[in-house]
Amino acid sequence: MKKKKFTIILAFAIITLYFVIFLDNNVKFKEFLPSINQQPQDESVIRKQYTIDQSVQNGSICKRGCGEFLIDESKYTTSYPQDGSCYFKDSLRKSWLPDLHSAFVDTIGDYVVFIGLQFSTNKWSSGTFICEFPDGERTFNNPILEDKLSFGWLPQYIIVITCELPKKYKTRLNFQMNFRILPSAKIINVESGSENTIAYDNLTVCQTGSKQRHFLSMCTMVRDVDEFIPSWLQYHKYMGVEHVYIYDNAVNESNSSSLITSLREFINSGFVTVVPWRHTKSPSKTYLEIQIAHENDCLWRHRHDSLWMIKTDVDEYIQPMDSKRPKITDYLKDPKLYTLGGIRIQNWFFGRPLKSTTRNGTIIERNIWRSKLPTILNTGHDKNILRPINVHYFKIHAIKLGSGHKTLDPVSELRMVHYRGDNPRHRSFKLPPFDVKDTTMVEIWKAVLKDKEGLTIPMPLDNEI
């Protein structure tokens, strides 16, 4: 009797420990690769509650997209240069389903990824989602980790849903599938007969990720700031960045991006990929929705091919402060750092006194004054160099869910030089007084221009705005 009681207690303790370690949102982990196929309790009941779209079931979709790269250009777009990935032209919205900004296939993790944003009142993390594939095969969502750490006056929470990818689809460039939520009495009246509408039908999903692995890549989103980008690119290329993904939120109705022309030399050299990202915010959400969605799209698409990824804006430059470690990559080579979610870089505003004479040249050459001190940590100005594989959710300035981070000293290690005063999108932003002259960035810029390994193209000057 005592032995039986001890066995029951031990089993209960093991189960409790599993949930504490695996499902706790504050757990620090080296890598999250969803692999548990969450099956419903009663398969026969589910089969009666919804039907698979017939065009998927009979395989007609497979015939259109199994062996070649075919997408509906009215709903989807591709990067430039095209690498086989595809993107929604705009986010998807439907009642009783999460707003989706991304859906793609990760053939290394062996899952389909769906990325969206939600409010705290949406409890999608407790829902059951079904992925329906062209031949009728279905898989269910892996456990969904809940984002509980959003901030701001209108918090918007990230959600990433993954489904196991059947082996037969690992070799397909793209295919169409259905993404459905299991009807629940908590969500909708199943007896109403409307449960078949709770799905995104015939979604095109493509393989994603770069064929080339990068030690350090960079990702950002821009909107009508073309003149700031060339110097930002060349500076960070000199500092060790190997590839840059630029999400363009200013593409026109024909899905054309001006960056394809203005950054042609960088694109042709293989240094830059432009992603048309003409997404609009959902009702009741803010513009930050679009920014947060692009960040997590970029991190999840490149979690296997980028060891480190810088997340900054184009008016922000990361400056090494140790003369013995003159490149950004010099601060990232210690294997002990690889278990982290990221390196946090403290912000330091640069600009020019109000009554000073405006200098000619690039944004670096015009702004040779700084504030006395960097901004205080955790006040919405820090940026990060991330380990994508160790980050599950990210929002602008901080890791929301993932491994821990390390903050570097802005005086002796790395600092983020922020030229916000010249950014036309932030004219009303309150900046500190610039009363300390600092020409260290100008000296680095001179070295950038002399660097024979950089892009051998004439650098246009950033126009004064």
Side-chain angles (χ1 to χ4, degrees), residues 341-440:
I343 302 294
R344 184 166 60 178
I345 312 299
Q346 200 165 350
N347 177 78
W348 209 318
F349 284 117
F350 271 59
R352 49 188 180 270
L354 293 176
K355 296 182 180 181
S356 65
T357 303
T358 301
R359 295 164 57 93
N360 294 322
T362 63
I363 194 172
I364 296 174
E365 295 164 314
R366 289 198 304 271
N367 297 283
I368 59 172
W369 298 80
R370 61 169 171 82
S371 58
K372 289 183 179 179
L373 299 172
T375 55
I376 300 173
L377 286 170
N378 296 319
T379 56
H381 297 296
D382 316 319
K383 290 298 176 72
N384 296 265
I385 306 175
L386 300 169
R387 281 276 287 129
I389 197 68
N390 295 338
V391 177
H392 198 76
Y393 295 147
F394 180 77
K395 183 177 179 182
I396 306 175
H397 300 288
I399 298 170
K400 307 298 297 308
L401 185 62
S403 296
H405 67 269
K406 177 181 180 180
T407 301
L408 297 190
D409 189 324
V411 175
S412 62
E413 295 179 297
L414 292 177
R415 70 178 176 185
M416 189 181 75
V417 176
H418 196 169
Y419 299 108
R420 195 163 188 173
D422 277 12
N423 192 328
R425 297 183 62 82
H426 301 290
R427 286 301 194 194
S428 60
F429 186 81
K430 186 176 180 180
L431 292 168
F434 298 114
D435 45 18
V436 178
K437 191 172 184 179
D438 187 333
T439 60
T440 55

Side-chain angles (χ1 to χ4, degrees), residues 119-138:
F119 287 128
S120 60
T121 53
N122 301 129
K123 300 300 180 182
W124 303 120
S125 59
S126 60
T128 299
F129 295 85
I130 303 104
C131 290
E132 301 172 348
F133 296 89
D135 62 352
E137 184 171 354
R138 295 170 297 154

Side-chain angles (χ1 to χ4, degrees), residues 29 38 43 66 69 117 127 171 181 191 197 200 219 256-257 261 319 335 342 348 363 368 408:
F29 54 92
Q38 190 180 45
E43 177 76 7
C66 292
F69 192 73
L117 270 80
T171 58
I181 189 170
E191 296 180 357
T197 65
Y200 289 118
C219 187
S256 177
S257 169
T261 299
Q319 180 184 5
W348 209 318
I363 194 172
I368 59 172
L408 297 190

